[in-house]
Amino acid sequence: MSSSTTAHGSAPIAEAAPLSLCAREPHVPADRLVAEMVPPPRFDSVRFDTYVPDPNQPSQSQAVQVLSAFAAGLGGATAVDGGKRRWFDFAKKPAAPTAPRGVYLDGGYGVGKTHLLASLWHATPAPRELKAFGTFVELTNLVGALGFQQTVQTLSGHRLLCIDEFELDDPGDTVLVSSLLRRLVEAGVALAATSNTLPGKLGEGRFAAADFLREIQGLSAHFRPLRIDGEDYRHRGLPEAPPPYSDEQVTRAAYATEGASLDDFPLLLDHLAKVHPSRYGALTDEVRAVCLTDVRPVPDQSTALRLVVLADRLYDREVPVLASGLPFDKLFSEEMLNGGYRKKYFRAISRLTALARDAKGLIAQ
């Protein structure tokens, strides 16, 4: 079997070439967007009993109790067609109850809000096709793919809709999704949500309940805020993120790892501009590890926000990230980290750091 050498002229490496994210331009049909509105693979097996509350934060244990009861209370809802409702059918449902039928998980990033939200989805006694779970961005992408009215019809037969990372920093999309939620509440759909923090707020990374309830414009009566205190669990007792590796190490690992991708970081950033963010999940289909060379600071805010979405999709899918160049905490400029989208950037750093730890095993000892 033939072999090749690295750019540094070192010893030969296996000929089987890794994948390239830059070579992919996935097209995702609308029905896949609907079918994929379930907890991502990282949270597929989480349950309330796998959530480990911080003993110093009693609100975490209380949240588990409240959400467990909320899930059990959804068992009495009636499903259309005996629980076999098709996605694109529409039928009238009973009028929405007057009592709150929604919960808002209120806490900083890394306290386990997504774990709890996914556990609620799993615990709700309803068929998978009658429960929906997605990020705010994925929900807006669904509206873009189906149109507003069709999205209302598609989700109105659901028993529960979970929205992770409600984007309070995007006024236009906030109005759009608030209008959608109002229609779903009228149809009797139960809601659960987490959100980010509005730009310029004191206590960044902490609590956003007042902001959330104000921004959803008239829906606050349908939500019970549930405060969850705590520190970012990804940094709780974990080792520091590994330093970046050399280009040669990353390249060798990519060739030695089945299903790995290998891309130059600046070229990947350019490619992300050509792919709609709704397709970033499909961009990583069947990718088992992402290997990046020449990681450097992102050049502008638009590029940075696209990278945040990619980081979320990789984290959801538990895809380890091996990189050379600068460490991930140097991706965003001080201006970005002090600006209106800073929480998104800190979340991306936290998640990429966790994925970098996961990638340590790819390097040959």
Side-chain angles (χ1 to χ4, degrees), residues 96-361:
T98 56
R101 289 266 296 172
V103 290
Y104 168 67
L105 309 187
D106 182 20
Y109 55 85
V111 298
K113 298 193 304 296
T114 301
H115 184 135
L116 291 171
L117 194 67
S119 298
L120 172 63
W121 186 93
H122 288 296
T124 297
R128 290 174 64 90
E129 63 268 23
L130 295 183
K131 301 183 288 186
F133 183 106
T135 64
F136 180 90
V137 171
E138 288 168 328
L139 188 59
T140 58
N141 289 337
L142 183 66
V143 175
L146 302 183
F148 183 83
Q149 293 299 334
Q150 187 64 67
T151 303
V152 171
Q153 293 178 6
T154 300
L155 297 178
S156 288
H158 282 56
R159 200 168 295 178
L160 173 69
L161 171 62
C162 296
I163 308 172
D164 200 21
E165 290 293 343
F166 200 106
E167 300 283 357
L168 295 176
D169 48 19
D170 192 325
D173 283 344
T174 297
V175 171
L176 172 69
V177 174
S178 295
S179 300
L180 173 64
L181 296 187
R182 186 177 300 107
R183 295 285 296 275
L184 296 180
V185 166
E186 292 170 356
V189 180
L191 306 173
T194 72
S195 79
N196 60 18
T197 304
L198 279 172
K201 294 294 181 181
L202 295 176
E204 183 70 29
R206 299 301 300 165
F207 305 110
D211 298 325
F212 174 80
L213 296 176
R214 182 182 63 253
E215 294 297 319
I216 57 177
Q217 300 186 11
L219 285 171
S220 59
H222 296 284
F223 281 90
R224 171 184 175 177
L226 189 60
R227 178 166 171 157
I228 306 170
D229 299 281
E231 62 179 294
D232 187 340
Y233 79 92
R234 287 181 290 270
H235 296 161
R236 193 188 304 159
L238 293 176
E240 291 295 320
Y245 297 96
S246 68
D247 286 352
E248 179 181 357
Q249 288 175 302
V250 171
T251 300
R252 283 185 167 276
Y255 275 84
T257 303
E258 183 179 358
S261 66
L262 176 62
D263 291 279
D264 177 74
F265 185 70
L267 293 180
L268 177 60
L269 294 183
D270 291 341
H271 183 64
L272 292 180
K274 305 173 185 177
V275 180
H276 192 276
S278 66
R279 302 173 182 173
Y280 286 4
L283 191 69
T284 64
D285 281 351
E286 299 178 1
V287 174
R288 299 185 182 180
V290 166
C291 298
L292 301 172
T293 57
D294 193 22
V295 170
R296 59 180 68 177
V298 294
D300 56 72
Q301 192 119 266
S302 295
T303 302
L305 292 173
R306 287 191 289 267
L307 180 60
V308 168
V309 177
L310 179 63
D312 286 343
R313 299 292 81 78
L314 293 173
Y315 183 78
D316 288 345
R317 289 160 174 76
E318 300 183 290
V319 179
V321 178
L322 192 72
S324 68
L326 291 179
F328 288 130
D329 60 1
K330 303 298 183 183
L331 282 172
F332 308 108
S333 68
E334 287 298 318
E335 182 180 1
M336 291 179 182
L337 294 179
N338 290 318
Y341 295 114
R342 59 187 176 272
K343 184 174 181 183
K344 292 183 181 181
Y345 300 146
F346 280 117
R347 185 179 79 234
I349 291 171
S350 179
R351 291 184 166 185
L352 288 172
T353 295
L355 296 177
R357 293 192 189 105
D358 294 343
K360 289 181 67 175

